[in-house]
Amino acid sequence: MTTMKKYRVYTYLPDLLCSTLFKMARSFFWLKRTEDFRITPLAVCSLLVFVATVATAQDAEDSAKKSTIRKANVGGYMITQIEKVDKSYNAGYSMYAAAWPLLKEYSGRSFQSGLFGTWMHPQYDGPLPVEKLYTDIEGGLGWWRDTEYATTTPKFIMGGVQLNFAGWANGPGAGRGRDWSKPNGKYGVAQLSPWLLWPPDGLNLKQGTNGELFGSGYLPLPLTEPKTTTAGAAVSTGNQSWTLFLNTGNFKGPVAFFTPYFWSQASVEDPRLSGLFLDQRPSEPNKAFQMETQHIHSYEATDSKGQTYARMAPTQYPAGSDGNSDLLHRLMVYIKEALWDDVEAWFAGGDPVDGKINVEHANMQKFKKGVRSNWKFYGAHIPKDKRALMNITSYLDANVTDSATLRVRWAGDMITKVEKNGHTLVTLPEYYKMVNTAEDDIGQWVAVAPDDVPFETGLHEVSFNRSEDDRTSLTYSTPEEETSSWKTPGPAAGPFKAKLGDGSTLTYYWYRFADQPALLNADLSHEEREEMQRRVELLHRNWKMDGEYLPPPLIGKLADIDPALIVTPPPGMEAGYVPIVTRQGLE
């Protein structure tokens, strides 16, 4: 050891630690001491410091590269091509939309996308008295930023829009915002079914739904009489109660309806608008059917050569045994004779009506082959005129579509398939490369394999989990004041509770139909509400939740609603009473 003593130099590092590190290094690197080549503890420590410095520099370089990763999102529309029908089919519609988990993992509240749906506007036959008049029913399946109890399984909302989005109604007790001093549409929908609960967060489907068809549609029912005055003003309110009908595996029939006052309320402030809303106007039969996506999480990065790449959250579609995705099916439109005329005669003392819609007064809108997509990557760093299209149609083939079904096939080496709970899911390419085109200077995003993306971009390591915008879900609560319409005259039975598949718990009460809060805020007199009560009791006694209403699908299997939402009226309340949710929260 005399040789080692000759070269020993004391440093601030304790001698014992240096010796220990030396032994570890000699063992690890198989170092051997000889008379000609000596390794001292100081040399080993220097080596380790050097290695640590290199590692730190590498970490710094990696961090610098990762700092160039930019947050972005995918958004846009997938647009169907539909043949037009005659304008006389203006009394509502029905359709079957596939329901499935669009993302492999729910990625947080900033994620927002609908599945395939439509926008039903009033039908007009002349010029309008105002420059801007937007109003419609545009609900459907999907996920929204104000969804409080989201899962990978979609929910359904009604989506009625008042004049220029002044308010909207998504279901009984659900509308714009949470402030009940400013209802903004939260009283716009009345409960009709005595067998189905409607959560304010949206109607839950059974967890695990994966490609089954969800049947829905809106037809008007004559539940009220027309009015010549509205809220004391000399403007009219019609008698069309646009009613949501469902056709699912475990529930069929009418659920809830928009009160006529929800639409005509705007004309009280501006009488020029009287008669222009859905309380009086027919529906536009030739609607757009699209899938609207606003925000799928994505990231973008540029490598050292200046090439830009992007990655989006794993996005998936259902596939049948033939490899095709049936996304939208049997689009039907109706004239009033399909249901209205017989129901109106029944309410006036005629024979009972079973509620089955007469397809002799219906027409099926036919699909053309082809789907147009304008999906793009969006981000704060991307100027509006530089948002490039994704080449989604390079792996989407819509030539398998037929007249009754929007059907697409996903093809290519970058399409992957997985089996889950007896269902097949197709995952779209996650990685994209910006490629310049001769047509313009924007370029387009071309799908590439993960191995074709340089690791230096850091895109392989990004996470799409929901941690960055995770928070405790807000509780939906209705007014507690004894003088509110929720308490006076108040419920007839309750409270009751139901635990849903999304983890939330509903508190609900049974109200006499005419005493529910929505109708107490619908500009209806006591006599008008009592006449509605009489008509609805007829419906409850004759229209059951296992009857036939909407024309059934020609293919596939129906989706189920969350079984926890199916309820039975208490004894003595089988007709004329409805369940109203007053709270939704976590317990």
Side-chain angles (χ1 to χ4, degrees), residues 396-427:
L396 179 153
D397 179 9
N399 288 321
V400 290
T401 288
D402 62 35
S403 61
T405 307
L406 173 64
R407 179 178 293 123
V408 301
R409 176 183 290 276
W410 307 96
D413 296 337
M414 286 170 286
I415 297 293
T416 58
K417 295 182 180 181
V418 297
E419 298 290 334
K420 185 176 182 180
N421 299 327
H423 298 280
T424 300
L425 283 166
V426 170
T427 303

Side-chain angles (χ1 to χ4, degrees), residues 92-98 115-119 138-141 156 213-219 245-247 287-290 327-334 365 367 404 550-553 558:
Y93 75 95
S94 65
M95 66 179 185
Y96 291 89
L115 298 179
F116 276 93
T118 190
W119 293 254
E138 56 181 65
L141 295 164
F156 181 91
L213 296 174
F214 183 85
S216 66
Y218 288 92
L219 288 91
F245 284 77
L246 297 181
N247 191 14
K287 303 171 293 301
F289 287 89
Q290 303 175 6
L327 303 176
L328 199 56
H329 175 67
R330 202 174 188 189
L331 311 179
M332 304 294 292
V333 287
Y334 306 100
Q365 292 184 284
F367 290 99
L550 299 179
L558 289 173

